[in-house]
């Protein structure tokens, strides 16, 4: 098939899919997401106030865990928690479904959008969703201007090592999260986090060894961003595997921040059977700025070439029993997903499909990036 004919064929497939989904129509006035440091102090303060407001909104009784307890390894829903905590719980429960499967990018894209919708609907937020361009901070994340101590418009700094690394500055210093047990937001800068991260394939002779001396900031440099955004033409599976894989660009900002963003359990006895991992990472609002940047990277990759725009592939089940299996199915094994696959919500949003979120300009999303 010639390149020109292939592009025509893809366009025909796109039109055919579009007529099956009214929500695929492009919106006319998309919002423009901006980097956090491009916002004024007033705009930053508005976003922080809205996020804090979400912590005062009541629990949604529609929230219901859908994963088996022996798989999710999380505590039961706390009905006395806030709506912010509901969103954390959603991510906790669906952890084995939305990581290392084909849902990773489309689900997190809509999760960030739903967070934005919640800020607007429940707290009257009128601003844009910010993102954190971590490429600007890859060479000195510890001293980044992102971690501003201002109690009105700052995101706060690193946690107190003498108080379970809980933050004491910034607009979220008093925020309490209930999962996995009540605590304030926790952060701890660590340039070599692999020292504390278990090898996912500890007894597999085929798996490459994990080097605990690796400096994790190398995963989110501008060069790595450019490699991802301009590579893997038409190869969604390869793009996601490099992005989400061991020492990948997605994990780097999570791991360098430690604490909640890494999914380390709080100190104390109030967290029975707390299993560390990515489950509670949305406890820190930095999660949403980080994943907006991940989404920006995906959106840019989609625009690089026609074959990227609707490239999608992946399974619905994590396939990490051995390194060989993982190499075969880096973003999930069968049953395989498709455009009509529904993004799970545990009752917090109405059905949204993969196809609905394949374009940030779709009616259901309606945004672009600076």
């Amino acid at each position: 098939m010639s390149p020109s004919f292939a592009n025509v064929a893809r366009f025909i497939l796109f039109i055919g899919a579009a007529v099956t989904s009214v929500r695929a129509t492009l919106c006319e006035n998309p919002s423009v997401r901006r980097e956090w440091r491009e916002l004024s102090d007033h705009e930053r303060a508005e976003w922080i106030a809205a996020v804090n407001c979400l912590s005062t909104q009541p629990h949604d009784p529609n929230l219901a865990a859908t994963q088996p307890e022996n798989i999710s390894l999380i505590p039961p829903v706390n009905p006395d928690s806030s709506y912010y905590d509901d969103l954390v719980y959603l991510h906790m429960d669906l952890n084995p479904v939305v990581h290392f499967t084909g849902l990773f990018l489309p689900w997190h894209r809509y999760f960030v959008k739903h967070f934005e919708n919640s800020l607007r609907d429940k707290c009257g937020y009128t601003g844009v969703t910010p993102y954190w361009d971590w490429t600007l901070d890859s060479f000195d994340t510890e001293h980044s201007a992102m971690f501003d101590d201002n109690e009105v418009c700052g995101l706060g700094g690193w946690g107190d090592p003498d108080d379970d690394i809980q933050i004491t500055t910034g607009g979220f210093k008093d925020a309490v999260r209930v999962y996995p047990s009540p605590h304030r937001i926790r952060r701890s800068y660590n340039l070599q986090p692999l020292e504390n991260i278990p090898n996912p394939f500890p007894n597999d002779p085929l798996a490459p060894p994990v080097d605990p001396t690796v400096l994790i900031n190398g995963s989110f440099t501008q060069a790595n961003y450019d490699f991802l955004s301009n590579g893997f033409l038409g190869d969604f599976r390869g793009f996601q595997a490099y992005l989400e894989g061991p020492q990948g660009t997605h994990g780097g900002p999570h791991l360098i921040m430690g604490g909640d963003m890494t999914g380390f359990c709080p100190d104390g006895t109030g967290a029975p059977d707390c299993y560390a991992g990515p489950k509670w990472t949305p406890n820190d609002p930095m999660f949403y700025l980080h994943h907006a940047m991940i989404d920006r990277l995906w959106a840019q990759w989609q625009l690089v070439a026609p074959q990227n725009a609707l490239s999608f592939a992946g399974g619905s089940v994590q396939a990490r029993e051995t390194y060989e299996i993982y190499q075969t199915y880096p973003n999930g094994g069968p049953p395989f997903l498709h455009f009509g696959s529904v993004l799970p919500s545990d009752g917090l949003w109405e059905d949204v499909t993969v196809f609905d979120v394949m374009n940030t300009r779709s009616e259901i999303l309606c945004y672009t990036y600076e």
Side-chain angles (χ1 to χ4, degrees):
M1 182 180 290
S2 68
S4 60
F5 186 83
N7 289 339
V8 171
R10 291 187 186 95
F11 180 74
I12 293 173
L13 286 173
F14 176 80
I15 296 299
V19 298
T20 67
S21 175
V22 174
R23 289 180 293 185
T25 305
L26 298 186
C27 67
E28 294 184 1
N29 298 299
S31 64
V32 180
R33 293 182 173 181
R34 296 157 59 201
E35 212 275 335
W36 177 256
R37 283 160 286 202
E38 295 299 317
L39 304 181
S40 67
D41 285 351
H42 177 71
E43 289 171 320
R44 296 180 195 176
E46 284 188 317
W47 188 80
I48 289 172
V51 173
N52 282 329
C53 164
L54 211 58
S55 296
T56 69
Q57 300 304 299
H59 159 69
D60 187 336
N62 291 316
L63 175 66
T66 55
Q67 302 306 302
E69 292 182 8
N70 65 322
I71 299 297
S72 64
L73 301 175
I74 59 175
V77 172
N78 183 340
D80 296 322
S81 63
S82 71
Y83 191 76
Y84 189 102
D85 294 313
D86 284 348
L87 296 177
V88 175
Y89 195 90
L90 172 64
H91 189 266
M92 287 162 45
D93 183 51
L94 297 179
N95 171 53
V97 176
V98 300
H99 297 103
F100 299 103
T101 74
L103 288 178
F104 173 70
L105 286 168
W107 188 88
H108 282 85
R109 170 173 281 180
Y110 193 71
F111 185 52
V112 174
K113 177 60 178 178
H114 180 74
F115 183 73
E116 175 189 305
N117 292 344
S118 300
L119 296 180
R120 297 184 186 283
D121 297 342
K122 296 180 181 294
C123 295
Y125 182 63
T126 59
V128 300
T129 288
Y131 62 90
W132 172 27
D133 184 351
W134 18 252
T135 66
L136 302 175
D137 304 304
S138 62
F139 293 101
D140 190 7
T141 309
E142 183 177 15
H143 301 104
S144 166
M146 290 292 295
F147 304 105
D148 186 348
D149 290 343
N150 189 290
E151 295 186 3
V152 176
C153 60
L155 297 169
W158 304 103
D160 181 354
D162 295 323
D163 188 17
D164 192 24
I165 60 172
Q166 296 178 109
I167 65 173
T168 60
T169 62
F172 303 117
K173 68 182 181 65
D174 297 320
V176 175
R177 306 298 186 224
V178 304
Y179 299 114
S181 63
H183 67 283
R184 299 198 314 277
I185 295 168
R186 302 164 62 251
R187 296 180 191 148
S188 179
Y189 175 76
N190 189 347
L191 191 57
Q192 295 178 300
L194 298 185
E195 294 177 324
N196 304 314
I197 303 298
N199 186 336
F201 308 102
N203 302 312
D204 191 335
L206 297 179
V210 174
D211 182 357
T213 67
V214 166
L215 304 181
I216 202 65
N217 61 334
S219 67
F220 53 95
T221 61
Q222 183 66 53
N224 225 22
Y225 183 98
D226 293 343
F227 175 79
L228 267 165
S229 62
N230 294 304
F232 306 98
L233 292 183
D235 180 12
F236 180 90
R237 180 178 282 108
F239 175 80
Q240 181 187 331
Y242 187 90
L243 172 66
E244 193 188 12
Q247 303 173 36
T249 304
H250 161 248
H254 274 287
L255 294 174
I256 205 168
M257 293 187 65
D260 283 310
M261 275 289 280
T262 301
F264 289 153
C265 298
D267 286 346
T269 58
D273 300 323
C274 177
Y275 296 88
K279 301 177 181 68
W280 2 91
T281 51
N283 275 328
D284 190 335
M286 288 294 297
F287 172 95
Y288 295 100
L289 277 70
H290 168 46
H291 269 275
M293 180 64 173
I294 292 293
D295 182 61
R296 177 176 179 256
L297 173 56
W298 180 28
Q300 183 171 341
W301 179 81
Q302 289 181 297
L303 293 172
V304 163
Q307 59 265 46
N308 290 0
L310 288 176
S311 180
F312 176 74
S316 59
V317 179
Q318 290 184 351
R320 308 179 76 199
E321 293 84 356
T322 68
Y323 184 70
E324 184 177 13
I325 292 174
Y326 169 70
Q327 288 290 93
T328 304
Y329 302 111
N331 71 337
F336 291 109
L337 300 162
H338 50 80
F339 281 159
S341 297
V342 173
L343 308 181
S345 69
D346 282 5
L348 291 188
W349 62 66
E350 296 181 357
D351 284 357
V352 175
T353 68
V354 169
F355 185 73
D356 289 330
V357 299
M358 285 299 291
N359 190 327
T360 67
R361 287 284 307 276
S362 68
E363 289 285 359
I364 203 170
L365 297 177
C366 199
Y367 65 82
T368 60
Y369 287 96
E370 273 189 338

